Amino acid sequence: MIEYKNLLRGIAMGVTDVVPGISGSTILMVLGVYERFIASLSGLTNPREWKKSLGFLVPLGLGVVTAMIVFARVIRWFLDHHQPVTLFFFIGLIVGILPILAGEINIRRSFKPIHYVLLVIAFICIAFTALIPSEVDLMTNLSMGDYILLFVSGWLASAALILPGISGALVFLLLGVYTTVIHAISEFQLLIIFVVGAGIAVGMLLTSKLVRYLFANYTTYTYAVMIGLVAGSIVVIYSNVLPGGSVLGCTLTFLAGLVIAYLLGKVKK
């Protein structure tokens, strides 16, 4: 039986994963199912847990795939024709998410100086990725080496899918395959989608075990890093905003993002 709430969570995750600088797993943290997501991924290799894990992950994955197929062109259109106001919506969403994450770990009581240091380091690491060029060429006439690159890109992007604050799209930008992957999704180029997807699947299984261990043994440290990653993504998104956007439009979409984040927090509770 499909867990329809997970289908909707997957759609929300998939929509955000299409946009460079935003991680779908951040949405899962806000919705209160992030640790369950990590445990389910890790449980796929456990004979006692794999059925339960699939029950959670299958509808979530269906939602992600549906969102990427349905919304890839829509978001691409908004970014092409209304880029500033679109990105300000996502900036508002991330700004609104930060207090929710801070409350999750109760920063005032649990954080010590070392945690703030880790938060700042994570923030700086992500913020510096704003210097990466955002335009990459479309790959054509792919060779075996190109397909290997796409598989490895999917593998590395899978860590970004799991870690809040780092988007898979940003990793694709780093490796110069973002335009190729988005074009493949929007044009249903199944071979490229399969190769990248296989890399993502393999990487997620391995990365999830590490993250599950960190959450279990270094919870506060892990949250400190993840909050820093999420905060740093604001700089990445803002750096991509093109000049000339309507101040009123950007303000309204920013506020809309804040409201959506607030409502997501309410849904979680």
Side-chain angles (χ1 to χ4, degrees):
M1 182 177 180
I2 293 178
E3 191 173 338
Y4 290 101
K5 287 184 179 179
N6 270 4
L7 191 64
L8 296 176
R9 290 165 179 155
I11 290 173
M13 185 180 184
V15 168
T16 52
D17 274 325
V18 174
V19 182
I22 305 175
S23 171
S25 56
T26 303
I27 299 298
L28 295 185
M29 287 195 80
V30 176
L31 294 176
V33 295
Y34 178 72
E35 291 188 49
R36 185 181 171 192
F37 169 62
I38 295 299
S40 295
L41 286 174
S42 181
L44 288 176
T45 56
N46 188 325
R48 296 180 180 180
E49 298 181 16
W50 72 269
K51 287 186 178 180
K52 182 179 178 181
S53 296
L54 283 177
F56 178 82
L57 293 172
V58 167
L60 191 75
L62 286 175
V64 171
V65 172
T66 300
M68 288 189 167
I69 291 174
V70 173
F71 294 107
R73 291 188 178 186
V74 176
I75 292 178
R76 199 68 248 168
W77 185 87
F78 273 104
L79 289 174
D80 288 342
H81 296 87
H82 304 283
Q83 196 253 26
V85 294
T86 303
L87 291 186
F88 264 94
F89 168 78
F90 287 107
I91 291 173
L93 183 67
I94 299 301
V95 170
I97 282 171
L98 285 173
I100 299 173
L101 298 182
E104 186 79 19
I105 194 63
N106 198 342
I107 279 184
R108 291 185 179 181
R109 293 186 178 181
S110 62
F111 267 34
K112 297 178 181 178
I114 183 60
H115 299 119
Y116 288 104
V117 170
L118 288 173
L119 189 155
V120 171
I121 291 174
F123 173 88
I124 292 172
C125 288
I126 294 301
F128 266 106
T129 64
L131 301 176
I132 299 168
S134 59
E135 294 296 329
V136 290
D137 295 329
L138 178 66
M139 298 166 65
T140 57
N141 300 320
L142 300 179
S143 64
M144 180 58 68
D146 293 326
Y147 282 112
I148 292 174
L149 172 62
L150 288 169
F151 178 84
V152 173
S153 299
W155 184 313
L156 295 177
S158 68
L161 291 171
I162 289 176
L163 294 174
I166 312 174
S167 78
L170 178 60
V171 173
F172 288 143
L173 275 177
L174 278 166
L175 298 173
V177 300
Y178 175 74
T179 301
T180 302
V181 172
I182 290 297
H183 183 265
I185 293 172
S186 61
E187 298 298 327
F188 299 101
Q189 295 178 338
L190 296 180
L191 181 56
I192 294 176
I193 293 172
F194 174 78
V195 171
V196 175
I200 290 173
V202 172
M204 288 182 83
L205 288 174
L206 298 178
T207 307
S208 63
K209 292 185 179 297
L210 173 61
V211 175
R212 188 179 190 182
Y213 172 81
L214 292 174
F215 261 111
N217 296 278
Y218 304 97
T219 305
T220 307
Y221 291 96
T222 305
Y223 263 98
V225 171
M226 290 188 173
I227 291 172
L229 296 176
V230 173
S233 69
I234 296 172
V235 178
V236 177
I237 301 169
Y238 182 77
S239 70
N240 289 317
V241 175
L242 298 174
S246 164
V247 174
L248 177 60
C250 291
T251 302
L252 291 176
T253 53
F254 175 81
L255 293 175
L258 288 177
V259 171
I260 295 296
Y262 174 78
L263 293 176
L264 287 174
K266 288 292 184 181
V267 168
K268 175 184 174 182
K269 292 181 181 179

PDB file of all heavy atoms in Angstrom, residues 74 127 144 190 265:
ATOM      1  N   VAL A  74       8.936  23.209 -16.073  1.00  0.00           N
ATOM      2  CA  VAL A  74       8.263  24.362 -15.463  1.00  0.00           C
ATOM      3  C   VAL A  74       9.264  25.251 -14.743  1.00  0.00           C
ATOM      4  O   VAL A  74       9.303  26.476 -14.940  1.00  0.00           O
ATOM      5  CB  VAL A  74       7.171  23.892 -14.477  1.00  0.00           C
ATOM      6  CG1 VAL A  74       6.537  25.081 -13.761  1.00  0.00           C
ATOM      7  CG2 VAL A  74       6.107  23.087 -15.211  1.00  0.00           C
ATOM      8  N   ALA A 127      29.347  28.521   0.877  1.00  0.00           N
ATOM      9  CA  ALA A 127      29.281  29.873   0.312  1.00  0.00           C
ATOM     10  C   ALA A 127      30.330  30.060  -0.785  1.00  0.00           C
ATOM     11  O   ALA A 127      30.071  30.725  -1.797  1.00  0.00           O
ATOM     12  CB  ALA A 127      29.466  30.912   1.413  1.00  0.00           C
ATOM     13  N   MET A 144      32.138   6.669 -24.059  1.00  0.00           N
ATOM     14  CA  MET A 144      32.123   5.844 -22.857  1.00  0.00           C
ATOM     15  C   MET A 144      32.658   6.637 -21.660  1.00  0.00           C
ATOM     16  O   MET A 144      32.148   6.531 -20.535  1.00  0.00           O
ATOM     17  CB  MET A 144      32.962   4.579 -23.068  1.00  0.00           C
ATOM     18  CG  MET A 144      33.009   3.659 -21.847  1.00  0.00           C
ATOM     19  SD  MET A 144      31.364   3.109 -21.314  1.00  0.00           S
ATOM     20  CE  MET A 144      30.928   2.047 -22.696  1.00  0.00           C
ATOM     21  N   LEU A 190      16.542   8.402 -21.913  1.00  0.00           N
ATOM     22  CA  LEU A 190      16.512   7.361 -20.887  1.00  0.00           C
ATOM     23  C   LEU A 190      17.891   6.813 -20.532  1.00  0.00           C
ATOM     24  O   LEU A 190      18.146   6.472 -19.378  1.00  0.00           O
ATOM     25  CB  LEU A 190      15.606   6.216 -21.348  1.00  0.00           C
ATOM     26  CG  LEU A 190      14.129   6.592 -21.515  1.00  0.00           C
ATOM     27  CD1 LEU A 190      13.324   5.379 -21.962  1.00  0.00           C
ATOM     28  CD2 LEU A 190      13.561   7.169 -20.222  1.00  0.00           C
ATOM     29  N   GLY A 265       6.771  23.785   8.677  1.00  0.00           N
ATOM     30  CA  GLY A 265       7.049  23.544  10.091  1.00  0.00           C
ATOM     31  C   GLY A 265       5.809  23.144  10.856  1.00  0.00           C
ATOM     32  O   GLY A 265       5.837  22.265  11.730  1.00  0.00           O
TER      33      GLY A 265
END
